Amino acid sequence: MTPILITGGASGIGLAIAAACQRDGFAVTLFDMNEAALERARAGLPDPARALAVAGSVTDEAALERAFDETEARFGPLAGLVNSAGIGVDARALDTTADEFRRVLEVNLIGTFAASKAAAARMLPRGQGAIVNIASVSGIMGNVGRAAYGATKGGVITLTKVMAVELGEAGLRVNAVAPGPVETPMVRDMHTAEMRAGWIATVPQRRYGTPEEIAQAALFLLDARRSSYVNGQVLAVDGGFTIGGVMEGVAPKGAALASAS
């Protein structure tokens, strides 16, 4: 069986990616901090027998190595990694403490780096493999309240490009998916009604995405049959948010719509 390890795999986007990978024939390892949630997640997958649940944090390099060891012992050589573990802080820059910023940085960016480095070391000798980083449109656009989160996701995007350049010649591909607003547990905790209205007003498709829609993009980038010549790219799955300009019926906060003359 060909395994994919997914950090943050116990819920939300990570779990949806795990289910999509299994339906496409991959075995999966779910790596997450919450042991009880991990086991529930594994049991709910299409084929629990082809899934491994390993508890740990991406801030713990020894735990990551253990997860990769267990994955390869159970399923064979690693085929890919999805970095989906992440946390967020909804606070403007001047209201964000340095400790909060460091905490988000440690998980979102340094955790992605540590997991990617460990995975690449295992895939390099075989000259094949894929890493997919879950970034965010907040790493592309300047979204209010995303000083820490957006900065770390911008870092993930740059890390994706650097590692794609460094590892491409050896046969590894590194890409990123940048979701827009998606109905996940973290988003439900962070997004107020006012925030939701703001997002929907600036997303041309006028809705939030689903974890399953992000999962299909990640699966495309993992599968060399579909994306063997795709490397170092950032695929925005955002309903058009990052390309939206002036849209009918939408005005900046506090401004009136100008009538055409």
Side-chain angles (χ1 to χ4, degrees):
M1 288 182 281
T2 306
I4 305 292
L5 188 143
I6 302 155
T7 72
S11 65
I13 290 171
L15 182 55
I17 292 171
C21 285
Q22 278 209 329
R23 293 188 188 100
D24 212 52
F26 291 103
V28 297
T29 293
L30 309 180
F31 183 78
D32 207 294
M33 293 181 62
N34 189 322
E35 288 191 57
L38 266 174
E39 189 48 44
R40 288 194 301 270
R42 190 195 68 81
L45 287 171
D47 186 356
R50 290 191 299 122
L52 184 64
V54 181
S57 169
V58 294
T59 64
D60 183 344
E61 292 178 68
L64 283 166
E65 291 291 352
R66 185 181 72 251
F68 286 118
D69 285 343
E70 293 183 22
T71 297
E72 295 197 318
R74 175 80 173 271
F75 300 123
L78 185 73
L81 166 70
V82 177
N83 283 302
S84 186
I87 59 175
V89 173
D90 178 23
R92 289 173 178 256
L94 299 187
D95 296 323
T96 302
T97 67
D99 283 344
E100 287 173 327
F101 201 107
R102 289 189 191 97
R103 182 169 61 88
V104 179
L105 180 72
E106 186 74 27
V107 173
N108 292 5
L109 182 53
I110 300 176
T112 293
F113 166 73
S116 297
K117 183 179 178 182
R122 291 164 187 270
M123 295 187 290
L124 274 172
R126 295 185 290 275
Q128 59 184 359
I131 296 172
V132 176
N133 297 322
I134 304 302
S136 170
V137 294
S138 291
I140 300 172
M141 309 290 283
N143 294 327
V144 171
R146 298 295 182 267
Y149 184 78
T152 62
K153 292 299 187 176
V156 166
I157 288 171
T158 300
L159 177 66
T160 298
K161 295 175 181 180
V162 171
M163 292 190 75
V165 170
E166 293 181 349
L167 301 175
E169 187 176 5
L172 274 62
R173 297 179 301 108
V174 186
N175 292 288
V177 176
V182 178
E183 293 288 2
T184 65
M186 186 174 76
V187 165
R188 285 192 288 272
D189 288 342
M190 289 179 62
H191 285 206
T192 64
E194 182 181 12
M195 196 180 297
R196 283 179 172 272
W199 274 107
I200 289 172
T202 53
V203 172
Q205 287 190 252
R206 296 292 194 263
R207 66 175 178 86
Y208 276 37
T210 67
E212 291 72 25
E213 288 172 314
I214 309 306
Q216 290 303 313
L219 182 61
F220 164 73
L221 294 172
L222 284 168
D223 189 354
R225 296 170 300 177
R226 300 163 180 161
S227 58
S228 58
Y229 201 50
V230 180
N231 190 32
Q233 300 304 303
V234 181
L235 176 57
V237 185
D238 63 355
F241 171 75
T242 49
I243 54 84
V246 175
M247 290 184 283
E248 186 177 8
V250 178
K253 190 174 182 179
L257 281 173
S259 59
S261 57

